[in-house]
Structures are given as C-alpha cells and as structure tokens.
Amino acid sequence: MSALPERFGVHAPLSGGLRGSLKWAEDATCNCLQIFSGNPGAWKGTAWKEADCAFFCAERERLDMKPCVLHTPYLINLASPDDFNWGRSKQMLRDALAQAERSGSEYVNSHIGSHLGAGMDAGIRRVAAALVEVLSEDGSGTTVLLETTNGSGKLVGSRFEELESVLELCGPVADRVAICIDTAHVWATGYDISSAEGTTAMIDEFDALVGLDRLLCIHANDNRKALGGKSDVHQDIGEGQIGPDAFRALVNDPRLAHVPFILETPKNNPDDDRRNLDVIRGLRGKG
C-alpha cells in the first residue's frame, strides 16, 4: 500500500493552559494537535510562561505529537479595508507567530477575513499586503496557514482561485504561506464532496490552482447544513450532510500523506474526540 495520511489530531481546549491541552490531546489519542494562540474572543492575549512552553516542547517530542497548529483568535481580519482593524489584525498575527516560536509550534492557522464591501480584488490585495509586512519582519520561520472560508457574506478565500491570487501576491514571503482546507467550509461554499469522486475532483482542482505542496493541513469536519448553504455547523465525522465517503477518499489519497488532519468536531470531553478519531482512522485502507 502506498503511504497514506497518518497524523490525526483535534483542536484541544486551552482552558487548562498548554499542559491541559496536551493532556486532552494525549487522552484523545492524537499524534498532532491544534490549540488557540490566545483567547479566541480577545484582541490581545498573554504570552505563555517559559516553563510551560519548555514542558510543552519536551512532552510533544516524547509523545511524537507533531505538528502543533496555533489557531489565531476569531477577531482577525487580514482583508479589512479599515486601517485600524487591519492594524490590529496584523498585530494579532504577530502575537500568534511569537507564541508559536515560544512554544515550538510548527504552524499558525488563521481565518482570512472579509473585504467588508471593498470588493474581492481589494480584499485579496489587503491579505497579501498584511502577510508580506508581518512575515518580512518575523524571523521565526513559522509557516502561516490560510484557512478556506465558508462562502458567506464578503469573506475572502472561499474559492481556490482566491487563495491562488493571495499566494501570487505574497512575493518574497510566499514560501512561508500555505493553505488549510476545512471540509465543512468547502462544502458550505459549494464544493460537492459527498462522494469519493467529488472529493477527488475537489483535491484535483486545488492541486491545479494552488498545488498540493501548499496544502499543509486539513480540518476534517462534517457539516449539519446543506451543500452551498454558506453555513458550517460542524458535525461528527460521517454523521452530517457530507457523509463518510469524503473522509474515506481523503485518508486513502496517497497525495495527502504529508498532511495532518485536525478534527474540530463537537465535544464535551476527550472521549468524543477519541470516538471521532477512531472513525476517521478506521476509514484508512478502505478506499
């Protein structure tokens, strides 16, 4: 059998700090994880303590739990035409990159944001300009992942063509920008991945426009809402409108062997995450 994806993790709560998030991920049987870089509803967070970061790095190494993806807070809008909020968004990205360097995390994942009526072309240019400015100043080498959006309102990055355009404008920092596909989001946008054929076609289109070397994470989430509904209410793997065939196709695609899969499915405790991880891992080898 050709190599298949083998890194599966979840978004772990940060309520117990770095140590608590790592314990949650371990209990859920992750071998990679995602956490917020700070309070998801606040513009400014608190730098993690050196001792906690040292423990986090050492334990991840011991557990072979890699990569760690830091998710920026929800307020970020790299496409904003408003200079004040655009400036705050750039600072939020800087703060997330600093947390990544501090904690040894490999990636920073960010929602892209909305052009707020300025137009898609203007929004794309704004995103690229923010990335060039922030990454040109940052010496960490951490890769920023732009997450696909759900097609609602005036969001930038719902279609692969838009992501391609952002990357083309990143110039000298393009090698530090990559993409995270969220399955619930692409479904909400209108990519029909309910079948193996549709899922493969979606990946083929991404490869043609962006390149699979730029796909460095997949958020694996089912969706409770209808195709193209611009809504991404997450559901357990295979239990929503997308269904199991999409996830079976993804985890059996050898082109995605390098990609970590992060689940953001509903949870009350690590048992819920463990159950969803068991489901998606159980689809490997059954393509």
Side-chain angles (χ1 to χ4, degrees):
M1 180 188 298
S2 300
L4 297 176
E6 60 182 24
R7 293 284 165 176
F8 296 91
V10 302
H11 184 104
L14 197 56
S15 55
L18 288 175
R19 296 170 186 257
S21 66
L22 198 56
K23 181 64 165 60
W24 180 292
E26 183 181 7
D27 289 347
T29 71
C30 299
N31 61 0
C32 60
L33 81 158
Q34 176 177 278
I35 57 177
F36 281 118
S37 61
N39 184 336
W43 280 107
K44 188 167 180 60
T46 302
W48 291 323
K49 295 179 180 178
E50 184 176 340
D52 290 335
C53 288
F55 175 86
F56 189 73
C57 290
E59 279 296 282
R60 279 209 305 127
E61 188 67 32
R62 181 183 70 83
L63 296 168
D64 188 29
M65 196 175 295
K66 301 174 183 178
C68 177
V69 180
L70 296 192
H71 196 304
T72 58
Y74 293 132
L75 298 174
I76 198 166
N77 185 358
L78 299 174
S80 177
D82 178 82
D83 285 338
F84 179 69
N85 282 330
W86 191 54
R88 290 203 293 181
S89 296
K90 289 185 289 184
Q91 187 57 49
M92 181 174 280
L93 182 57
R94 292 186 185 98
D95 291 344
L97 286 164
Q99 292 281 61
E101 185 172 23
R102 196 173 289 122
S103 63
S105 299
E106 289 82 358
Y107 302 136
V108 166
N109 180 82
S110 184
H111 289 180
I112 299 172
S114 169
H115 61 70
L116 299 175
M120 184 59 68
D121 288 344
I124 286 169
R125 290 194 299 272
R126 201 70 157 166
V127 175
L131 292 167
V132 169
E133 179 181 335
V134 171
L135 291 176
S136 294
E137 300 167 353
D138 177 76
S140 69
T142 304
T143 297
V144 173
L145 307 179
L146 300 178
E147 183 177 338
T148 54
T149 49
N150 65 18
S152 64
K154 301 172 177 64
L155 292 175
V156 176
S158 298
R159 304 294 308 183
F160 298 154
E161 299 92 330
E162 297 161 16
L163 298 170
E164 177 193 22
S165 295
V166 171
L167 292 171
E168 286 178 348
L169 292 174
C170 282
V173 301
D175 61 337
R176 291 187 57 193
V177 184
I179 305 299
C180 170
I181 286 179
D182 186 307
T183 55
H185 291 177
V186 295
W187 171 262
T189 294
Y191 292 92
D192 188 352
I193 57 171
S194 58
S195 66
E197 294 80 8
T199 304
T200 299
M202 181 271 291
I203 293 296
D204 288 345
E205 182 177 341
F206 182 92
D207 190 22
L209 290 171
V210 181
L212 288 178
D213 59 321
R214 308 300 283 271
L215 178 60
L216 296 186
C217 185
I218 288 177
H219 284 171
N221 306 300
D222 213 318
N223 194 328
R224 296 183 193 175
K225 301 296 184 177
L227 173 67
K230 318 300 183 189
S231 179
D232 61 307
V233 184
H234 293 188
Q235 180 59 290
D236 293 336
I237 299 297
E239 298 297 324
Q241 296 292 318
I242 297 174
D245 288 348
F247 304 102
R248 182 181 296 109
L250 290 170
V251 300
N252 285 287
D253 191 332
R255 297 175 298 172
L256 305 180
H258 66 290
V259 180
F261 284 66
I262 300 290
L263 279 59
E264 301 169 322
T265 44
K267 72 184 78 192
N268 293 307
N269 54 61
D271 287 343
D272 294 328
D273 280 337
R274 186 185 304 114
R275 174 170 46 80
N276 275 293
L277 286 169
D278 285 346
V279 170
I280 197 166
R281 283 178 173 136
L283 296 173
R284 291 174 78 251
K286 297 180 180 178

